[in-house]
Amino acid sequence: MKVTFVSNYINHHQIPFCEAMRARLKEDFCFVQTEPMEEERIRMGWGVDMEKLPYLRLFYEKEAECRGLIADSDVVLFGGVEDESYIAGRLKAGKLVVRLSERIYKSGQWKAVSPRGLRKKYNDHTRYRRKNVYLLCCGGYVASDFHLIRAYPDKMFQWGYFPPMRKYDIDVLMEQKRERRKREGKMSLLWAGRFLPLKHPEKAIRAAAGLKEKGIAFSLTMVGGGELEEQLKGLVKEKGLEDEVRFTGFLTPDKVRACMEEADIFLFTSDYNEGWGAVINEAMNSGCAVVAGCDAGAVPFLITPGKNGLIYPHNGWEIFYDSLAGLVQNPGEAERMGREAYRTIVREWNAQTAADRLVNLLEELLAGRPDFAESGVLSKAPVIAPGRMYRFLMKAGRKEHGK
């Protein structure tokens, strides 16, 4: 079976999956990059040594070879590219295409009423609802968005991003976190990402101010940079948090992981515009208890409330703050959730599991007998409207705990 993955560019979040696919399929797996990576991403440490990736092909340098791969492969995985012309020939010929997509209505499903938008969605997706095209949903809201346009009925699978997974001796990792807490006399909180409006880093600062007002001991590390940086630093000064909050600037992926390995609690505050949020995979893999807004795409797939993290609803400031404050004051509970978060990644949401299940699924699709996994990666993606997601997840969490 020959598989070609077509996307805008390869990055450190995709490489583990591609390496796992290459291990399974050998020379029959290739990644076609359609454009160079943006300079901003490279400055953030996302650049990769392309010479070390034997499966990588650059469309803008070897167009004829790449077009041949796209046309002749048994399966094309297609995502992260707006230009449909790359796969137009395959779609017309009825050859198997598996799309990967984040949300198409990040700013609101009300946009589904736009006649112009619906025409494009019909041309790109809906008219293939009964064809040899399937969808990997990179986020908990993707299935709902595509359900609105009547695309891919019963052909949508749970998917996501699979950044590098590290295996630890979890007992040793947790003991190191306990020793740091004992040495410093406080819980360590971490926020990481670009300082952008959609990621709401200000929520971490506001929560820190609330903790200090209550006399709760903590430290907060803010990793990253961006347009809100000066505003955030001004807010820290205004709230008198200079002793509790430190800014590191952008760090390499390895240094970000080092921060996660030391932290007790990771704050994930993005809104609906966050298609996935791979930083949450990394924090969970590092044994952090996560307090996350349910708006971001990764949260519905990765977090079971009360088991491996805590969630709060859209605009649910009080629930966010109360959840965080309760966890900061209960290190044992934070450690329990951190252990479960680690298990979620190493047992289920990782590149190896994703590649193994996908290769099996693709073989089934080519044989005409597709099937869903029972849970997790490549299980059926549930159609849950954004406004109902928090209640849906909380109900699932209560069921998990037998309540």
Side-chain angles (χ1 to χ4, degrees):
M1 179 176 62
K2 192 171 185 177
V3 178
T4 296
F5 188 172
V6 182
S7 191
N8 53 355
Y9 51 72
I10 198 164
N11 60 60
H12 65 288
H13 292 154
Q14 294 169 316
I15 287 175
F17 167 71
C18 291
E19 296 285 350
M21 289 291 286
R22 185 74 167 189
R24 283 291 302 265
L25 300 176
K26 310 303 181 187
E27 288 75 18
D28 285 333
F29 174 79
C30 287
F31 185 104
V32 171
Q33 175 170 306
T34 62
E35 63 187 67
M37 183 180 292
E38 306 103 316
E39 286 298 322
E40 181 186 9
R41 297 282 187 181
I42 295 174
R43 288 195 299 269
M44 290 171 57
W46 282 37
V48 300
D49 186 349
M50 294 188 288
E51 293 183 359
K52 293 183 177 180
L53 306 177
Y55 49 83
L56 180 62
R57 305 290 184 272
L58 305 180
F59 189 93
Y60 45 90
E61 291 186 2
K62 296 183 178 181
E63 181 174 340
E65 178 185 356
C66 292
R67 287 196 182 279
L69 286 169
I70 294 170
D72 299 335
S73 293
D74 297 298
V75 185
V76 164
L77 309 176
F78 186 74
V81 184
E82 292 293 331
D83 187 351
E84 293 284 310
S85 67
Y86 292 100
I87 56 170
R90 286 191 68 90
L91 293 171
K92 185 176 181 180
K95 294 182 177 180
L96 179 58
V97 173
V98 178
R99 291 181 178 271
L100 298 84
S101 180
E102 294 182 3
R103 295 196 66 182
I104 53 176
Y105 295 120
K106 290 181 180 179
S107 58
Q109 291 186 337
W110 59 270
K111 286 194 172 183
V113 303
S114 165
R116 181 179 178 182
L118 284 174
R119 281 195 298 272
K120 177 170 174 53
K121 298 299 186 296
Y122 175 83
N123 289 330
D124 293 351
H125 302 286
T126 310
R127 62 175 169 158
Y128 300 108
R129 57 186 273 118
R130 300 298 180 189
K131 303 297 183 181
N132 204 18
V133 186
Y134 295 79
L135 180 66
L136 302 185
C137 299
C138 299
Y141 300 96
V142 179
S144 178
D145 282 1
F146 280 93
H147 177 74
L148 283 179
I149 61 171
R150 301 174 63 81
Y152 313 116
D154 296 319
K155 298 194 296 180
M156 297 187 286
F157 301 83
Q158 289 193 30
W159 195 249
Y161 295 92
F162 307 95
M165 181 192 72
R166 297 182 180 180
K167 288 190 175 181
Y168 303 92
D169 182 323
I170 190 62
D171 292 328
V172 172
L173 180 62
M174 289 303 175
E175 178 60 29
Q176 291 171 347
K177 292 178 186 276
R178 284 196 297 270
E179 288 178 355
R180 184 210 47 76
R181 285 199 303 271
K182 183 177 180 180
R183 182 174 64 252
E184 298 179 0
K186 54 192 172 184
M187 295 282 278
S188 173
L189 316 184
L190 177 65
W191 190 101
R194 288 179 292 166
F195 296 159
L196 300 177
L198 72 90
K199 295 180 181 288
H200 297 282
E202 76 283 353
K203 288 186 176 180
I205 306 299
R206 288 180 59 198
L211 294 175
K212 184 169 184 177
E213 287 177 5
K214 286 193 172 183
I216 300 172
F218 72 95
S219 65
L220 169 62
T221 300
M222 300 289 293
V223 176
E227 64 185 78
L228 298 180
E229 185 167 351
E230 292 307 313
Q231 179 181 325
L232 294 172
K233 290 180 176 178
L235 185 58
V236 167
K237 186 175 181 180
E238 175 189 330
K239 300 294 185 180
L241 294 167
E242 293 94 333
D243 292 336
E244 288 80 15
V245 180
R246 73 181 181 105
F247 292 85
T248 69
F250 284 121
L251 299 177
T252 64
D254 282 343
K255 289 183 178 179
V256 175
R257 288 299 293 266
C259 291
M260 291 174 173
E261 289 163 3
E262 292 185 358
D264 300 302
I265 301 172
F266 186 80
L267 307 181
F268 189 63
T269 52
S270 296
D271 63 27
Y272 287 123
N273 289 289
E274 185 78 81
W276 181 260
V279 69
I280 194 173
N281 301 61
E282 297 169 321
M284 293 173 71
N285 183 206
S286 302
C288 295
V290 177
V291 180
C294 70
D295 295 354
V299 175
F301 287 171
L302 296 184
I303 300 294
T304 301
K307 179 181 180 182
N308 61 1
L310 298 173
I311 66 170
Y312 62 91
H314 182 67
N315 291 330
W317 167 257
E318 290 185 359
I319 295 177
F320 167 54
Y321 174 74
D322 290 344
S323 298
L324 174 60
L327 207 54
V328 171
Q329 295 176 91
N330 192 339
E333 183 70 352
E335 179 175 323
R336 181 189 67 78
M337 289 187 184
R339 287 176 178 272
E340 289 295 335
Y342 173 76
R343 294 187 185 105
T344 298
I345 301 302
V346 298
R347 293 178 179 177
E348 179 72 27
W349 283 93
N350 59 74
Q352 189 63 57
T353 299
D356 288 343
R357 289 187 184 179
L358 183 60
V359 169
N360 293 339
L361 174 64
L362 296 180
E363 290 173 344
E364 292 173 351
L365 291 176
L366 290 170
R369 45 179 174 75
D371 196 10
F372 293 91
E374 292 185 5
S375 62
V377 180
L378 287 176
S379 62
K380 186 174 183 179
V383 177
I384 310 295
R388 298 179 179 177
M389 183 62 78
Y390 178 73
R391 284 174 290 175
F392 173 81
L393 295 176
M394 293 301 292
K395 182 178 180 181
R398 289 191 293 270
K399 184 178 180 181
E400 178 76 20
H401 290 283
K403 297 179 179 179

